[in-house]
Amino acid sequence: MEIAPLPYPYDALEPYIDEKTMRIHHDKHHQAYFDKYMKAIEGTEWADKDVKEVLENVDALPEDIKQAVINNGGGYFHHTFFWTILKKDVPFKGEVAEEIKKKWGSLEKFQEEFSDKAKTLFGSGWTWLVVNNGELEIVNTKNQDSPISLGMVPLLCIDVWEHAYYLKVQNRRPEWIENFWNIVNWEQANKYYLER
Ligand code: MN
C-alpha cells in the first residue's frame, strides 16, 4: 500500500528543501516506516486502529511488537505531520503566535531556543513545539519516539535525522535549521493549537 502523496509538489519548498530530498524523504523513508509499521501490527488487535491512537497507547502494546511500533508507527505518523507544517511564505500570526510572544518575548527568541535545541540533539530525532499540560514547550525526542506517547500535542516540528538534510547541506545541521524557518506553516500550527 502506498502512503498518501505529499500535500504539494516535490519542488514546492525549493530552495529551502530541494526536490530530490523531498522525493527520497517521502517516497523512500516515509514509505518504509509505513511498510514496517503495517507489518508489525498485522494480525493484531491494533491493525484497524488509527496510528495516532496506537501511539497514544504504546504502553498497552505487546512486548514483541512494541519497539517496532514505536519506531515505525512513530516514523509514519511524524512524517505525515511534518509535511503539513511546511509551506513557504506563511506569516507568523494567529493565537499560536500570540502565545509564543507571550512565552518567549518574540519570534526571534523562540527561534533561538528552538534552533539551539535542534542543534544539540545528539544523534537522530525531532525537535517539537508542543502543548504540554496547557503550556507551550520546546522538546526533543530521540529516534522516532513520539510526543504523542507522552500526552503532548504537537504544533510543529523539525526532522533532524540526517536524511532530512544531508543531500543538500551535508553535515551542516545548523544550515538546515536556518532553512526550516523559511517554510514554517504558521497557519497550520495555529490550527493544531486551536484543536488541542
Ligand atoms: Mn525523516
Side-chain angles (χ1 to χ4, degrees), residues 29-49:
H29 292 280
H30 191 186
Q31 181 71 48
Y33 285 118
F34 174 76
D35 293 344
K36 289 178 190 162
Y37 169 66
M38 292 306 278
K39 210 172 153 213
I41 57 166
E42 196 180 354
T44 72
E45 58 173 311
W46 302 90
D48 55 359
K49 292 199 165 46

Side-chain angles (χ1 to χ4, degrees), residues 78-101:
H78 297 154
H79 287 91
T80 306
F81 178 87
F82 186 48
W83 311 137
T84 69
I85 59 93
L86 300 177
K87 194 178 179 182
K88 281 202 286 197
D89 302 322
V90 181
F92 176 66
K93 62 173 195 180
E95 284 82 348
V96 74
E98 293 310 311
E99 284 305 306
I100 285 172
K101 283 189 267 184

